[in-house]
Amino acid sequence: MTDSTEPNLHGLPKNRLETLVDGVFAIAMTILVLELRAPAALGPGGLAQGLVDVGTRFATFVISFIVLGVYWFAHHQIFHFVLRVNRTLVWLNILFLLGIALVPFAASVMGAYTGDPIALSLYGAVLGLLAALGYLIWWYLTGDRGLIEPGLDPEMVHKVRVWLAIGPVITPIAIAISFVSTTLALLIYLVLPVVFIFFNPVSRYLERLRETEP
Amino acid sequence: MTDSTEPNLHGLPKNRLETLVDGVFAIAMTILVLELRAPAALGPGGLAQGLVDVGTRFATFVISFIVLGVYWFAHHQIFHFVLRVNRTLVWLNILFLLGIALVPFAASVMGAYTGDPIALSLYGAVLGLLAALGYLIWWYLTGDRGLIEPGLDPEMVHKVRVWLAIGPVITPIAIAISFVSTTLALLIYLVLPVVFIFFNPVSRYLERLRETEP
Amino acid sequence: MTDSTEPNLHGLPKNRLETLVDGVFAIAMTILVLELRAPAALGPGGLAQGLVDVGTRFATFVISFIVLGVYWFAHHQIFHFVLRVNRTLVWLNILFLLGIALVPFAASVMGAYTGDPIALSLYGAVLGLLAALGYLIWWYLTGDRGLIEPGLDPEMVHKVRVWLAIGPVITPIAIAISFVSTTLALLIYLVLPVVFIFFNPVSRYLERLRETEP
Amino acid sequence: MTDSTEPNLHGLPKNRLETLVDGVFAIAMTILVLELRAPAALGPGGLAQGLVDVGTRFATFVISFIVLGVYWFAHHQIFHFVLRVNRTLVWLNILFLLGIALVPFAASVMGAYTGDPIALSLYGAVLGLLAALGYLIWWYLTGDRGLIEPGLDPEMVHKVRVWLAIGPVITPIAIAISFVSTTLALLIYLVLPVVFIFFNPVSRYLERLRETEP
């Protein structure tokens, strides 16, 4: 709602933080594919069989790409309302990016050891860290610090808080479940981003504003 | 035609999605080169022979780079007319980026197994997915959703639709052909981007507008 | 304090240099994670033990990520006051980026040989080079060259100079110490960024300006 | 001289092409470092000897980083005067980026086989391709196509053309020399960027304009 290049007097503009964030997301999303390599040697089934064998790695690639997309879009939507950044907000974001950079690592472990609860727990721990930082960033932003658009609908602010709390609540449960059933835990990692995409209070808020505007 | 940093009230601006897209393209284009490695040990012909041996990988690199260039430029041209983004448009783009991230993988398989129809089919499937998503994005944008410049020439909108339909129509044919003749299929992958570059309705439209403007 | 896209007549704008810098930082931060790979084969302790074994690499990843975050934020803050760039400033920045690109290499050596003073010295040398270049850039900018906001508080300019001198002074000491005690040297590399984060004269300056503004 | 985000009616703005170019440069510069890996096993001299052994790779890294810096800065300076882009200009730039993406490959071959004239020729061929494309881009831009700032000093236009012709003229000579003396060819690759940096007609032109402005 504010021009990202407009000079915010006596405050750091948000555009460079956004560029850094977009860059880390773009790289994390693209290096996920480095786990998918052409099979070095072909067994009896030939290349077709070799590609089938990278199946679980491919599924992990798709899930991780969607997860990164979910976090990127949530970041984009939340930062849409940000006016300026300060030191604390920058460092919360750098920690968030540290978690984003860990996704390809956690994905590569999960792609290699899908049936192992430790691999699923590592993956869940990274997702949970990201979700917790997302919640913290929104909580920090919506405090009385002059960092965000004034006049945001308090109901929307609350709904986003609930939305962002889903991750930190669900991922510890998924980690616990992975020691009982890896399939069920994996299913939760699959369903979680879908829920996140469809129950999106910011999209609804923006659509409502557009409908009521003259 | 619209300033990408201008505040679109009550709508998400397109600039961050463009930054993400440009980032993924830049990385996918550059990591293609990771397939071209210095030969680890030199055989009888020395380094010259070693470099000749990476010939098919080099050809795959060039084709894939041009293909990514084609898709990048088409995205740039189409998004030139976009006013704001919404959730559906963002997710169509993230799926598109998933396809872009797969190009280096498909290229690495094709570079290693050029004569294998399975490798050529995989490459064709990625190109076809991208082409289908490109078509879908244009179809979604030009619907009555307030996402695109009003007053676009309907003839141009239709021509772009036909242009973007070439890929989804030709790639399944190329995949089928690859089981008959891998050379012919490869040739189609070579010719397709060239056709795409020279029969570009957006470039023509913009040139015509420039000529008629006062 | 100035719009990065505003035309600075007869001067090169800073925005493309910032984009390059943000890109190199984003990539350096993200490829740090390439050192953390899924264990190729599992020993007696299984995956849990395999992940514990990547412990020192993980610690190096976290420290290096924070260090890069510190340098990125310092660059962001300093460039906030820059009006335009010239050849010398661009080349000082390219040398700075050369140092940034070396961080993943130094981190990979330190992650593999944590107890070796040579590894710690290499890491310290890269940090020292970056700190020296950071000092040089600030010294060059604040000279009478018309590159920076006029009317900056001279006290702040001096404080930033002292702040940026910490690195070039401490890192040679840390390198010397690493030959006596690698643990102590590692501790210095841990504490240095923390000091840098909390004793940040630019953040304080901007906060003070905000408080006194009408 | 023009705001990169200002709407150029009926023309494609240059900002996305610049973002793609900056992205490819940032990645190419940073992945150069992937050639510098921690020695896998330590011989008799320990880590110090292992690092000395990566010496020629390190020199190649530094030269290649500087070369990429030279090309990036030349691109930045030239595009400073660009008003809008068209299809031909975009494709010349994509071919230029193809050459940029090849630099890490050519550097890795040269780092591994420094004494081999084939390795030096490959490196020279990539530099020559880039230089030729740079020349071509400037020639295309300064033609009567409405792509560049009107009223550029014709003397400067000519001087830049001579400046950009150095590369395409010198690199074939360096390639020929590499078969006589690899040291001499390497020296040319070292000196060329230095000449390029110090004899920079655009920097001089901009400085002169600043001095004469009111």
Side-chain angles (χ1 to χ4, degrees):
Chain A
M1 245 163 223
T2 185
D3 184 346
S4 66
T5 62
E6 194 182 74
N8 293 300
L9 272 163
H10 311 324
L12 284 172
K14 65 180 175 179
N15 59 330
R16 278 195 70 186
L17 183 56
E18 288 181 338
T19 308
L20 186 76
V21 168
D22 292 348
V24 170
F25 268 100
I27 301 152
M29 284 162 125
T30 320
I31 65 174
L32 281 174
V33 92
L34 296 182
E35 289 302 310
L36 307 175
R37 297 212 145 269
L42 297 185
L47 184 57
Q49 185 58 41
L51 290 173
V52 168
D53 291 347
V54 298
T56 55
R57 285 174 185 273
F58 187 78
T60 308
F61 163 76
V62 173
I63 294 174
S64 303
F65 202 97
I66 301 296
V67 163
L68 288 174
V70 163
Y71 280 115
W72 177 80
F73 190 35
H75 192 279
H76 179 12
Q77 289 189 315
I78 283 172
F79 262 67
H80 182 50
F81 303 110
V82 169
L83 296 175
R84 61 177 188 94
V85 301
N86 67 8
R87 183 170 54 173
T88 307
L89 186 57
V90 164
W91 279 102
L92 285 174
N93 272 276
I94 290 175
L95 289 179
F96 181 75
L97 292 181
L98 193 151
I100 293 298
L102 282 173
V103 170
F105 167 61
S108 104
V109 174
M110 195 166 85
Y113 303 102
T114 318
D116 195 319
I118 301 291
L120 286 158
S121 300
L122 176 72
Y123 198 77
V126 171
L127 294 200
L129 169 75
L130 285 169
L133 281 164
Y135 183 85
L136 202 62
I137 287 170
W138 183 245
W139 170 84
Y140 183 79
L141 272 174
T142 52
D144 189 22
R145 295 177 182 88
L147 295 170
I148 205 161
E149 287 278 320
L152 280 187
D153 177 13
E155 207 193 313
M156 188 274 274
V157 170
H158 179 72
K159 274 187 184 165
V160 172
R161 208 170 278 191
V162 173
W163 181 53
L164 293 172
I166 301 174
V169 168
I170 300 291
T171 45
I173 299 173
I175 292 174
I177 287 174
S178 72
F179 288 90
V180 182
S181 160
T182 53
T183 316
L184 193 58
L186 200 62
L187 208 74
I188 296 173
Y189 298 151
L190 272 165
V191 172
L192 207 60
V194 177
V195 170
F196 226 73
I197 292 169
F198 288 98
F199 171 62
N200 184 326
V202 184
S203 292
R204 284 191 206 157
Y205 176 69
L206 290 171
E207 291 303 323
R208 207 148 15 103
L209 279 181
R210 288 188 63 83
E211 282 158 19
T212 58
E213 96 193 350
Chain B
M1 245 165 220
T2 185
D3 183 346
S4 66
T5 62
E6 194 182 73
N8 294 301
L9 273 163
H10 310 325
L12 284 172
K14 65 180 176 179
N15 58 331
R16 279 195 70 186
L17 184 56
E18 289 180 338
T19 309
L20 186 76
V21 168
D22 292 347
V24 171
F25 268 100
I27 301 151
M29 282 161 126
T30 321
I31 65 174
L32 281 174
V33 93
L34 296 181
E35 289 302 310
L36 307 174
R37 295 214 146 267
L42 297 185
L47 185 56
Q49 185 58 42
L51 290 174
V52 168
D53 292 346
V54 298
T56 54
R57 285 174 184 273
F58 187 78
T60 308
F61 164 75
V62 172
I63 294 175
S64 303
F65 202 96
I66 300 295
V67 163
L68 287 174
V70 163
Y71 280 115
W72 177 81
F73 190 35
H75 191 279
H76 179 12
Q77 289 188 316
I78 284 172
F79 262 66
H80 183 50
F81 304 110
V82 169
L83 295 175
R84 62 178 188 93
V85 300
N86 67 9
R87 184 170 53 173
T88 307
L89 186 57
V90 164
W91 278 103
L92 285 174
N93 272 276
I94 290 175
L95 290 179
F96 182 75
L97 292 181
L98 193 151
I100 293 298
L102 282 173
V103 170
F105 167 61
S108 105
V109 174
M110 195 166 85
Y113 303 102
T114 318
D116 195 320
I118 301 290
L120 286 158
S121 300
L122 177 71
Y123 198 77
V126 171
L127 293 199
L129 169 75
L130 285 169
L133 280 164
Y135 183 85
L136 201 61
I137 287 171
W138 183 245
W139 170 83
Y140 184 78
L141 272 175
T142 51
D144 188 23
R145 294 177 182 88
L147 295 171
I148 205 161
E149 286 277 320
L152 279 187
D153 177 12
E155 206 193 312
M156 187 274 275
V157 170
H158 178 72
K159 274 186 184 165
V160 171
R161 207 170 278 190
V162 173
W163 182 53
L164 293 172
I166 300 174
V169 168
I170 300 291
T171 45
I173 299 173
I175 292 174
I177 287 174
S178 72
F179 289 90
V180 182
S181 159
T182 54
T183 316
L184 193 59
L186 201 61
L187 207 75
I188 295 174
Y189 297 151
L190 272 165
V191 171
L192 207 60
V194 177
V195 171
F196 226 73
I197 292 169
F198 287 98
F199 171 63
N200 184 326
V202 184
S203 292
R204 284 192 204 157
Y205 175 69
L206 290 171
E207 290 303 324
R208 206 144 20 100
L209 278 182
R210 288 189 63 84
E211 282 158 19
T212 58
E213 98 193 348
Chain C
M1 244 164 223
T2 184
D3 184 345
S4 66
T5 62
E6 195 183 74
N8 293 300
L9 273 163
H10 311 324
L12 284 172
K14 65 180 176 180
N15 59 331
R16 279 195 71 185
L17 183 57
E18 289 181 338
T19 308
L20 186 76
V21 168
D22 292 348
V24 170
F25 268 100
I27 301 152
M29 282 162 127
T30 320
I31 65 173
L32 281 174
V33 93
L34 295 181
E35 289 302 310
L36 307 175
R37 296 212 146 268
L42 297 184
L47 184 57
Q49 186 57 43
L51 290 173
V52 168
D53 292 346
V54 298
T56 54
R57 285 175 185 272
F58 187 77
T60 308
F61 164 74
V62 173
I63 295 174
S64 304
F65 202 97
I66 301 295
V67 163
L68 287 174
V70 164
Y71 281 114
W72 177 80
F73 190 35
H75 191 280
H76 180 12
Q77 289 189 317
I78 283 172
F79 262 67
H80 183 51
F81 303 110
V82 169
L83 296 175
R84 61 177 189 94
V85 301
N86 66 9
R87 183 169 57 173
T88 308
L89 186 57
V90 164
W91 278 103
L92 286 174
N93 272 275
I94 290 174
L95 289 179
F96 181 76
L97 292 181
L98 192 151
I100 293 299
L102 282 172
V103 170
F105 167 61
S108 105
V109 174
M110 196 165 85
Y113 303 102
T114 318
D116 195 320
I118 301 290
L120 286 158
S121 300
L122 177 71
Y123 198 77
V126 171
L127 294 199
L129 168 75
L130 285 169
L133 281 164
Y135 183 85
L136 201 63
I137 287 170
W138 184 245
W139 170 84
Y140 183 78
L141 272 174
T142 52
D144 188 22
R145 295 178 181 87
L147 295 170
I148 205 161
E149 286 278 319
L152 279 187
D153 178 13
E155 206 193 312
M156 188 275 274
V157 170
H158 178 72
K159 273 187 185 166
V160 171
R161 208 171 277 191
V162 172
W163 181 53
L164 293 172
I166 301 174
V169 169
I170 299 291
T171 45
I173 298 173
I175 292 173
I177 287 174
S178 72
F179 288 89
V180 182
S181 159
T182 53
T183 315
L184 193 59
L186 201 61
L187 209 73
I188 295 174
Y189 298 152
L190 272 165
V191 171
L192 207 60
V194 177
V195 170
F196 225 73
I197 293 169
F198 287 99
F199 171 63
N200 184 326
V202 184
S203 292
R204 283 192 206 157
Y205 175 70
L206 290 171
E207 290 304 323
R208 208 145 17 101
L209 279 181
R210 288 188 64 82
E211 282 158 18
T212 57
E213 97 193 349
Chain D
M1 245 165 222
T2 185
D3 184 345
S4 65
T5 63
E6 194 182 75
N8 294 301
L9 273 162
H10 311 323
L12 284 172
K14 66 179 175 180
N15 60 330
R16 278 194 72 184
L17 184 57
E18 288 180 339
T19 308
L20 185 77
V21 168
D22 292 348
V24 170
F25 268 100
I27 300 151
M29 282 161 128
T30 321
I31 64 173
L32 282 174
V33 93
L34 296 181
E35 289 302 311
L36 308 174
R37 297 213 145 267
L42 297 185
L47 184 56
Q49 185 57 43
L51 290 174
V52 168
D53 291 347
V54 299
T56 54
R57 285 174 185 273
F58 187 77
T60 308
F61 164 75
V62 173
I63 294 174
S64 304
F65 202 97
I66 301 295
V67 163
L68 288 175
V70 163
Y71 280 115
W72 177 80
F73 190 35
H75 192 279
H76 179 12
Q77 289 189 315
I78 284 172
F79 262 67
H80 183 50
F81 304 110
V82 168
L83 296 176
R84 62 176 188 94
V85 301
N86 66 10
R87 184 170 54 173
T88 308
L89 186 58
V90 164
W91 278 103
L92 286 174
N93 271 276
I94 290 175
L95 289 179
F96 181 75
L97 291 181
L98 192 152
I100 294 298
L102 282 173
V103 170
F105 167 60
S108 106
V109 173
M110 195 165 84
Y113 303 101
T114 318
D116 195 319
I118 301 291
L120 286 158
S121 300
L122 176 71
Y123 197 77
V126 171
L127 293 200
L129 169 74
L130 285 169
L133 281 164
Y135 183 85
L136 201 62
I137 287 170
W138 183 246
W139 171 83
Y140 183 77
L141 271 174
T142 51
D144 189 23
R145 294 176 183 88
L147 295 170
I148 205 161
E149 286 278 319
L152 279 187
D153 177 13
E155 205 193 312
M156 189 274 275
V157 170
H158 179 72
K159 274 187 183 164
V160 171
R161 207 170 278 191
V162 172
W163 182 53
L164 293 172
I166 300 175
V169 168
I170 299 290
T171 45
I173 299 173
I175 292 174
I177 287 174
S178 72
F179 288 90
V180 182
S181 159
T182 54
T183 316
L184 192 58
L186 200 61
L187 208 74
I188 295 174
Y189 298 151
L190 272 165
V191 172
L192 207 60
V194 177
V195 170
F196 226 72
I197 292 169
F198 287 99
F199 171 62
N200 184 326
V202 184
S203 292
R204 283 191 205 157
Y205 176 69
L206 290 171
E207 290 303 324
R208 208 147 14 103
L209 279 181
R210 288 188 63 83
E211 281 158 19
T212 57
E213 96 192 352

